[in-house]
Amino acid sequence: MSNQLSLALRLSTVSLAFAALASCATLNEDECRSVDWTQLGQQDGVAGHPSSYIDNHRSACAEHKLPVDEQQWSAGWEQGIRLFCTPQNGLIHGREGRSYANSCPMEVKTDFEGAYSVSKAVYDARNSRDRLQRELDSLLDARDKAEKPEDRQRISREIDTKRSAVRMAERRLWDAEGDYDIYVASQGMMRR
């Protein structure tokens, strides 16, 4: 498959996923009538949703011809997003492999993203190592079950290659954990 076709297919898949998410109503009619917009904005901010997330509420309430109090929502969101965009929260989100919607305002963005990226690197490296280890385990099982000597030899060569990949992944994980430890120590934080 060509790179352009592959990219086009991925973009189509992403577009469909966003369309499906956008079609999900964030609020029903009763909620649109009775919601505390400041509190909802704060909850959305604490959840790390970007400021454009109000568009989802606007769409949901528009279906019922009800208004959105954007000023109140924005005031709440400003409070909530600052609770979300802390270095400690960046470490937690990255370590758990959660996605980040690039929602932090400029004045707190650098601290959150620095913490997020260093802990997300550990998460990604660990997942890569674990995936490769599962593939190696599968190859070991396949070699044990292989009946023909030539199949066992072929699988043994694959095992050697996979073992090398696992060792490299373990080194990447070790490096990512070292970077994490350096970051945490430089910030005066406790390692979790």
Side-chain angles (χ1 to χ4, degrees):
M1 182 181 306
S2 75
N3 286 340
Q4 289 178 332
L5 181 57
S6 176
L7 178 60
L9 287 173
R10 282 185 286 186
L11 290 175
S12 296
T13 303
V14 169
S15 296
L16 288 173
F18 279 122
L21 285 174
S23 69
C24 297
T26 57
L27 301 170
N28 63 34
E29 184 175 1
D30 290 339
E31 290 167 332
C32 286
R33 288 183 196 285
S34 64
V35 70
D36 178 332
W37 289 104
T38 303
Q39 184 179 9
L40 180 60
Q42 188 172 22
Q43 289 171 354
D44 290 342
V46 167
H49 294 304
S51 60
S52 62
Y53 195 74
I54 193 169
D55 294 339
N56 297 341
H57 301 315
R58 191 179 299 114
S59 294
C61 293
E63 290 179 19
H64 309 292
K65 297 178 178 40
L66 294 168
V68 169
D69 190 334
E70 293 182 40
Q71 192 172 29
Q72 291 296 311
W73 184 91
S74 293
W77 182 85
E78 285 290 334
Q79 295 169 358
I81 199 67
R82 279 166 174 59
L83 295 172
F84 172 80
C85 296
T86 65
Q88 295 82 1
N89 206 33
L91 287 176
I92 292 167
H93 269 66
R95 189 175 51 246
E96 293 176 355
R98 296 185 198 171
S99 62
Y100 166 56
N102 197 27
S103 56
C104 294
M106 289 306 287
E107 60 273 12
V108 291
K109 182 180 200 106
T110 302
D111 292 339
F112 175 89
E113 288 181 357
Y116 176 81
S117 66
V118 76
S119 61
K120 182 74 164 58
V122 172
Y123 174 86
D124 291 342
R126 182 171 292 120
N127 277 350
S128 177
R129 190 259 339 251
D130 292 349
R131 178 186 50 78
L132 289 166
Q133 184 62 55
R134 284 190 303 273
E135 291 171 4
L136 174 60
D137 294 342
S138 179
L139 285 170
L140 291 167
D141 287 343
R143 183 180 63 186
D144 290 344
K145 294 175 184 172
E147 294 179 10
K148 297 178 184 175
E150 59 270 12
D151 289 341
R152 282 193 293 279
Q153 286 179 338
R154 178 185 49 78
I155 294 170
S156 290
R157 286 190 299 274
E158 291 178 37
I159 287 170
D160 290 341
T161 302
K162 194 62 69 173
R163 279 188 175 138
S164 177
V166 168
R167 282 192 298 274
M168 288 173 50
E170 285 172 344
R171 279 189 223 114
R172 284 191 298 272
L173 176 56
W174 187 79
D175 288 344
E177 287 175 337
D179 291 344
Y180 178 92
D181 288 341
I182 291 168
Y183 174 83
V184 167
S186 73
Q187 300 297 311
M189 300 173 158
M190 298 292 292
R191 190 183 199 304
R192 292 181 175 201

